Amino acid sequence: MHKNNNSERQYKEKNRLLELLLEKHTVEQVVETISSIVEKPVIFIDINFGIRGMERIEEIKDPSWIQAISMGFCSHEFIFEIINIKEIKHFPTERTPYAVKMENSGLVLVSPLIIRGNYAGALVLFSEGDDFDERHSDLLLLANEVLTEIILKIPTYKYIRGHLNEAILIDLIQGRDKENLDFKTWILESELNISSNHCVLVAEQSDANQYQEVLKDSLRDDLYFIFPKSHVVFYGNQMVVLCVDQEKTAAFKIDTHLNDFLLKHHLKIGISYFFQEIENFQQYYFQAGAALRIGVKKNPNQLSFSYEDYKFFHLLESVGKPGIHNLNNFIHKSLSVLKDYDTKHQSELCLTLKIFIDYSCNYKESCQILHIHRNTLSYRIERIKVLTGLELNSQKTLFDLAYSFRILEYQGEDQ
């Protein structure tokens, strides 16, 4: 009778898992179901070492696992600690669950997902001290098979079989691991072991639901068509792209394909300088982000923004932070005189001086931009000199005035 009860229970447990195949269930629902059946904590780690499903995590006591769960992904330091465990080395491509003794806690039962011959993640079942029995292994293996079928059938999970490079890029964005002695090893293990021209693109959408899983596939497919060697990672509300082996001018120009991509997905992008060393990725990620942030503010109708065009504004943004410096202290005092005069007399001396400097003091080009006669421009320049005492043949004075106008432009006071 007792044997029959066990058989009936096992039959019901397996049916609960198999029922998940009848509808479009998710990774998280598979994890929830297997955890409920065995009454133990379960997590699923994808190929990028991101934690995509977790249940009963309050029962997990190991500090390293707790930290990984709180971050939503495993750090490379933790990953390399795990993969060096002898049990894991013995089963790199086996789906059959195997037990691993953790240093700071009890056992974990690991069942790797193998999809089309490739490692695609792992289900991990936790136990505080108790050994696992055959029932645990059978159920975890069945959950693995169910999860594999779901990943293969549902387009949402098309890219769950990503690469280690995405996890490395996330760590670089967050400033992690760069100084770690094993960092070079991690780079060699990834697809980022390259030395060519890189640049970073940062894209954002205004829609709060912008990067739902169902949209990521389309974004990646379309982007890979434009930049075949690129690596894409989604970070918060941003799509961050490492473009590899680009011509140093190509990425700074919007061609038809890139323009169509941006319009199709309602995107705007910031573009960094080019660089060689992947360890410096964070610096250029910040550049692309700054170009996008400032560019959207200054030129909202544009689709792409190169850091080259906005680096001075980025400098001003840094200097102008509260408690550091007042940017008005850097504006040439003569501009205040001209602005007051323009307000009182409804004139355009300040704008005239800006255009004159922007066009290298060229009278012909300045007149064309201002739509005035050369005599009018000459009169205005002489009036400016009288009011301010400026010597416009001094390179230092011209430089001081040029960046003063840029500060005003940054502050939204451009003429």
Side-chain angles (χ1 to χ4, degrees):
M1 184 71 177
H2 178 69
K3 184 176 181 181
N4 289 339
N5 287 341
N6 282 341
S7 298
E8 183 178 354
R9 184 187 70 171
Q10 292 173 8
Y11 175 79
K12 288 180 178 180
E13 290 174 343
K14 291 180 178 179
N15 266 357
R16 281 182 64 186
L17 286 168
L18 291 172
E19 284 172 0
L20 296 176
L21 291 174
L22 299 179
E23 298 180 12
K24 290 185 178 180
H25 289 281
T26 65
V27 166
E28 290 76 14
Q29 288 170 319
V30 175
V31 171
E32 180 183 4
T33 301
I34 183 64
S35 178
S36 173
I37 291 172
V38 299
E39 297 182 329
K40 292 179 183 293
V42 177
I43 69 172
F44 170 63
I45 303 174
D46 67 18
I47 183 64
N48 297 317
F49 301 100
I51 297 174
R52 297 181 64 105
M54 61 190 87
E55 285 294 323
R56 301 171 68 115
I57 58 174
E58 67 280 356
E59 299 175 26
I60 298 174
K61 306 303 180 184
D62 186 282
S64 297
W65 281 108
I66 292 172
Q67 181 185 26
I69 291 167
S70 68
M71 295 188 302
F73 64 92
C74 302
S75 69
H76 289 296
E77 185 177 12
F78 183 44
I79 293 166
F80 273 78
E81 176 185 330
I82 294 297
I83 65 175
N84 284 323
I85 296 175
K86 63 180 182 179
E87 291 92 343
I88 293 179
K89 285 184 175 181
H90 291 163
F91 298 94
T93 58
E94 296 262 345
R95 182 179 291 182
T96 304
Y98 56 91
V100 178
K101 179 69 175 69
M102 303 303 296
E103 184 177 347
N104 298 314
S105 64
L107 291 171
V108 295
L109 193 63
V110 182
S111 181
L113 264 72
I114 308 298
I115 298 180
R116 293 170 183 155
N118 296 314
Y119 175 81
L123 277 169
V124 183
L125 175 65
F126 291 78
S127 177
E128 283 295 317
D130 298 330
D131 290 338
F132 295 108
D133 56 29
E134 186 177 346
R135 168 176 166 263
H136 292 121
S137 294
D138 288 346
L139 287 171
L140 193 63
L141 180 58
L142 180 58
N144 184 320
E145 293 169 352
V146 169
L147 191 56
T148 299
E149 289 302 312
I150 288 174
I151 290 172
L152 286 171
K153 289 181 179 179
I154 300 179
T156 300
Y157 300 123
K158 179 180 178 183
Y159 286 97
I160 203 168
R161 300 179 304 280
H163 300 285
L164 177 61
N165 57 278
E166 292 191 19
I168 292 176
L169 292 181
I170 288 288
D171 277 359
L172 285 171
I173 288 172
Q174 296 181 335
R176 294 172 45 80
D177 293 327
K178 181 178 177 180
E179 303 303 324
N180 192 305
L181 295 178
D182 292 325
F183 186 82
K184 296 287 186 183
T185 303
W186 302 337
I187 295 295
L188 291 173
E189 295 273 339
S190 75
E191 295 180 350
L192 303 175
N193 181 31
I194 45 181
S195 57
S196 57
N197 292 322
H198 313 328
C199 71
V200 180
L201 309 183
V202 172
E204 293 181 1
Q205 286 179 322
S206 56
D207 185 352
N209 297 319
Q210 57 196 322
Y211 292 132
Q212 297 175 4
E213 290 296 326
V214 72
L215 300 178
K216 292 182 179 179
D217 294 353
S218 177
L219 284 167
R220 283 190 177 97
D221 282 343
D222 290 351
L223 191 72
Y224 290 153
F225 176 75
I226 304 167
F227 300 112
K229 297 182 181 180
S230 62
H231 303 286
V232 181
V233 63
F234 292 89
Y235 183 70
N237 68 335
Q238 296 177 329
M239 180 176 69
V240 183
V241 184
L242 174 65
C243 292
V244 178
D245 198 22
Q246 297 295 311
E247 293 293 333
K248 287 197 173 183
T249 56
F252 289 93
K253 298 178 181 178
I254 282 203
D255 62 15
T256 302
H257 295 305
L258 181 55
N259 187 69
D260 291 346
F261 168 78
L262 296 175
L263 289 172
K264 175 183 176 180
H265 296 287
H266 307 288
L267 288 169
K268 293 178 183 288
I269 60 169
I271 306 170
S272 77
Y273 278 147
F274 284 90
F275 63 102
Q276 296 288 332
E277 300 296 332
I278 191 63
E279 290 90 337
N280 297 324
F281 180 82
Q282 185 189 52
Q283 173 187 345
Y284 295 91
Y285 161 74
F286 287 150
Q287 285 186 1
L292 177 62
R293 179 177 64 253
I294 300 169
V296 167
K297 185 187 300 182
K298 303 304 298 179
N299 297 293
N301 294 326
Q302 287 186 205
L303 296 177
S304 72
F305 310 94
S306 297
Y307 186 71
E308 174 67 28
D309 297 329
Y310 295 94
K311 62 180 178 179
F312 188 75
F313 291 136
H314 192 205
L315 170 64
L316 298 182
E317 183 182 71
S318 302
V319 174
K321 288 181 179 177
I324 300 179
H325 292 293
N326 185 344
L327 284 176
N328 291 326
N329 294 334
F330 297 90
I331 299 175
H332 199 289
K333 61 183 180 180
S334 296
L335 298 190
S336 178
V337 174
L338 295 179
K339 288 171 67 179
D340 290 343
Y341 183 89
D342 285 341
T343 301
K344 291 178 183 178
H345 298 86
Q346 296 184 340
S347 57
E348 295 185 330
L349 296 185
C350 208
L351 174 60
T352 299
L353 181 59
K354 180 181 185 298
I355 297 300
F356 191 63
I357 291 173
D358 284 348
Y359 286 86
S360 305
C361 302
N362 184 293
Y363 275 78
K364 182 179 179 181
E365 292 183 356
S366 299
C367 288
Q368 289 174 345
I369 297 299
L370 292 166
H371 304 290
I372 59 176
H373 193 273
R374 183 183 179 93
N375 290 343
T376 303
L377 178 58
S378 296
Y379 168 78
R380 290 184 183 181
I381 295 300
E382 288 305 313
R383 190 64 182 149
I384 289 169
K385 290 179 180 179
V386 170
L387 289 171
T388 63
L390 288 170
E391 293 291 340
L392 296 182
N393 57 355
S394 166
Q395 290 299 317
K396 182 182 184 304
T397 298
L398 294 175
F399 175 75
D400 290 345
L401 290 169
Y403 76 66
S404 295
F405 279 118
R406 296 284 277 176
I407 292 173
L408 289 177
E409 185 180 351
Y410 172 74
Q411 294 178 328
E413 300 178 32
D414 48 316
Q415 301 299 311

